[in-house]
């Protein structure tokens, strides 16, 4: 397995859509068993459009031609955006890929003039919630885009 030195972090390209969906399926359907399929995940049907600039951004980590990590910023309002699809393939975790993605996405969020970056903590993934404070995320309960548990970085 190759580490962070052998990776390429880059924006989503049109040819990456299937690889992004494959990673989401591996994490959500196979590993966490959150859902049976990705049929209800509208943003994964057209990732490029849902995370399009100027208000959005979608990055991926590629190792030896395989997409092993993803993360996207999706606009919610003029002041709020959401970090979504922060996934790392199980056999590539603890190598710094998520940290590298977040480190590149936060400056993008600031450049866009957002004042708050939200992150939903799904019940099935609460065991990972201890990771997010290292990036500056804190629990938040006001002004949320939908029901759920969220953390946020005020900018």
């Amino acid at each position: 397995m190759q580490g962070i030195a052998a990776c390429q972090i880059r924006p989503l390209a049109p040819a990456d859509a299937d690889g992004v969906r494959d990673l989401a399926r591996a994490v959500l359907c196979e590993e966490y068993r959150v859902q049976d399929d990705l049929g209800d995940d509208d943003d994964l049907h057209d990732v490029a459009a849902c995370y399009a600039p100027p208000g959005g951004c979608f990055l991926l980590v590629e190792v030896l031609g395989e997409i092993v990590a993803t993360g996207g910023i999706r606009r919610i309002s003029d002041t709020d955006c959401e970090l979504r699809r922060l996934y790392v393939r199980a056999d590539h975790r603890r190598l710094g890929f998520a940290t590298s993605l977040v480190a590149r996405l936060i400056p993008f969020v600031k450049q866009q003039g957002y004042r708050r970056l939200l992150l939903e903590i799904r019940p099935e993934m609460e065991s990972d919630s201890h990771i997010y404070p290292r990036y500056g995320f804190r629990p938040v309960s006001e002004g949320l885009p939908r029901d759920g548990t969220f953390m946020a970085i005020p900018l």
Side-chain angles (χ1 to χ4, degrees):
M1 174 177 32
Q2 298 295 316
I4 195 130
C7 80
Q8 178 185 13
I9 300 175
R10 61 177 177 78
L12 176 80
D16 297 322
D18 288 340
V20 168
R21 282 188 292 274
D22 288 345
L23 178 57
R25 188 176 298 106
V27 171
L28 294 174
C29 303
E30 297 166 17
E31 181 180 354
Y32 285 98
R33 300 187 191 280
V34 174
Q35 53 201 62
D36 295 327
D37 60 49
L38 302 176
D40 292 335
D41 295 333
D42 294 338
D43 64 320
L44 291 175
H45 294 295
D46 191 349
V47 179
C50 287
Y51 296 90
C57 175
F58 198 92
L59 299 177
L60 56 88
V61 177
E62 189 175 58
V63 175
L64 301 174
E66 178 184 21
I67 296 172
V68 299
T70 60
I73 299 296
R74 193 167 183 187
R75 181 184 187 279
I76 296 172
S77 70
D78 289 343
T79 59
D80 290 348
C81 63
E82 185 177 3
L83 174 59
R84 293 183 48 89
R85 306 300 178 188
L86 185 61
Y87 300 141
V88 179
R89 192 172 295 280
D91 59 345
H92 284 79
R93 293 198 184 124
R94 299 180 191 250
L95 297 174
F97 294 133
T99 299
S100 294
L101 286 168
V102 172
R104 290 188 184 211
L105 291 168
I106 288 177
F108 168 82
V109 168
K110 290 178 179 179
Q111 290 170 351
Q112 296 302 306
Y114 293 119
R115 295 201 299 238
R116 187 170 67 156
L117 174 59
L118 293 162
L119 171 69
E120 183 177 14
I121 306 298
R122 294 173 72 148
E124 306 84 8
M125 298 177 172
E126 279 188 17
S127 63
D128 297 334
S129 65
H130 70 282
I131 297 168
Y132 303 116
R134 79 174 68 152
Y135 306 126
F137 284 97
R138 300 289 179 256
V140 63
S141 59
E142 295 181 15
L144 303 178
R146 60 190 170 274
D147 289 338
T149 301
F150 283 83
M151 299 180 91
I153 299 175
L155 303 169

